[in-house]
Amino acid sequence: MKKKLIYLFSGVLLLVLGLLAYHFYAARNAEQTIDETIREIASKSTPKLTVDFSAIEVSPFSGDIHFSNINIIQDRNIQRATSARFNLAYTDFLKFMVWGTESGLKQVEHGVLELADISYTDRETFLEVKMDSLTIDYSGNLWNLILQALTNRPAQLQHNIKAQGRQFSFHQPEEGIGSVQADSLFADAYFGKPGNETDSLQNRIELSGITWSPVPPFREKYQFFIRGFGFQPEAIPLAGASLTYQYTLEDHLFFISEMRLDSELFTLTLNGHFLLDPAQFRQSTLRDATLRIHDTSPRFQTFLQQLQQITSLKLPDNGTDLQLRLNGPLAKPDITFQP
């Protein structure tokens, strides 16, 4: 009887050890094949794409995929992150073990990506975006998303991303809007081709706890008014901002459902069409865009009254609501006041 128990225990132990060994073997094999798959896709990309990371680890039991010290360089763009962890369901990890990397990725429809210390830099314009951390809840088809990201192919399926980030910063040099810092960021994006529809992006972005530092020419030109409102020209506080839009990839057309900016002085909203010029952003054009300034504070209303007194500017008498129509180049649009 005792021998039977020993044999049974030994059999169970061997089975457990075998399963453990297989899981570790599968994890190490997955690391190698994922690495090879990424480099193979990158080598075929146009323009040339370089993907580099110091380590890749696949958890043998949870199925999490962790990349360390990532650098992605394509054309003039550089993307970096000190850490990227993709949290998969254990059933998805089993698909990798059974079917291999490519087949496994094609069956992954949901996952959570956690990024740390991320940045994006345009080496030509010096535009820079940074975040301390970003958590992305993804649903769609992971293989199709990877192909789109690494090769710039059009998305063949619909993807959905919900993202939350901390300590967001955006910097655009002299000809841009300056620098923007925010405590938190939220984004909700749908992109790809649902059914037979045109490949497009639908997105909502929200920022809260914002500090805006305009470019020096703007600060120098308007510092008298900025200081008059009690702000420092190099650090203008804003309560929050949001942008909801749809972007059609084929013709670079934005439909802005609402752009909203909340401050102590007023609330600003904008809607209309925006035709993007990817080569020269300042030459992009506005089409029948409506800019509305409302919920104005007594301080801002007094400012408008004084502005009319010292200039020839005549504003419609709409109480606390001011509407403008914008058409033409972004750098210098035609502006008409709405009655």
Side-chain angles (χ1 to χ4, degrees), residues 248-320:
T248 305
L249 302 180
E250 293 178 1
D251 54 13
H252 301 296
L253 181 64
F254 281 86
F255 171 64
I256 302 174
S257 301
E258 181 186 70
M259 183 179 77
R260 182 183 179 94
L261 187 67
D262 293 304
S263 72
E264 297 179 13
L265 303 175
F266 53 78
T267 295
L268 181 150
T269 55
L270 172 74
N271 60 67
H273 290 87
F274 176 70
L275 183 59
L276 175 67
D277 185 334
Q280 299 184 54
F281 180 75
R282 289 171 61 83
Q283 297 305 312
S284 302
T285 57
L286 293 161
R287 296 180 179 176
D288 295 324
T290 299
L291 178 67
R292 182 177 169 227
I293 303 173
H294 54 101
D295 296 331
T296 54
S297 67
R299 198 167 22 150
F300 188 73
Q301 294 174 33
T302 300
F303 162 74
L304 291 178
Q305 294 171 0
Q306 294 174 345
L307 183 64
Q308 292 184 86
Q309 292 173 1
I310 62 176
T311 68
S312 59
L313 182 65
K314 296 296 180 183
L315 301 176
D317 185 12
N318 291 336
T320 61

Side-chain angles (χ1 to χ4, degrees), residues 19-74:
L19 289 173
L20 288 173
Y22 178 71
H23 275 74
F24 279 103
Y25 166 78
R28 299 294 83 81
N29 185 61
E31 292 170 1
Q32 181 179 352
T33 53
I34 289 173
D35 182 33
E36 293 172 352
T37 301
I38 290 175
R39 298 192 187 284
E40 181 182 355
I41 295 173
S43 67
K44 298 177 181 178
S45 65
T46 303
K48 183 180 178 181
L49 175 70
T50 301
V51 180
D52 182 49
F53 41 83
S54 63
I56 175 174
E57 298 176 357
V58 176
S59 171
F61 301 105
S62 68
D64 294 352
I65 303 172
H66 180 220
F67 295 87
S68 301
N69 301 315
I70 308 155
N71 290 277
I72 301 175
I73 302 174
Q74 185 171 37

Side-chain angles (χ1 to χ4, degrees), residues 9 33 39 52 83 121 150 158 162 182 239 245 253 278 335 337:
F9 177 76
T33 53
R39 298 192 187 284
D52 182 49
S83 173
T121 304
L150 296 182
Q158 186 169 359
K162 294 182 184 294
Y245 65 90
L253 181 64
I335 301 174
F337 290 102

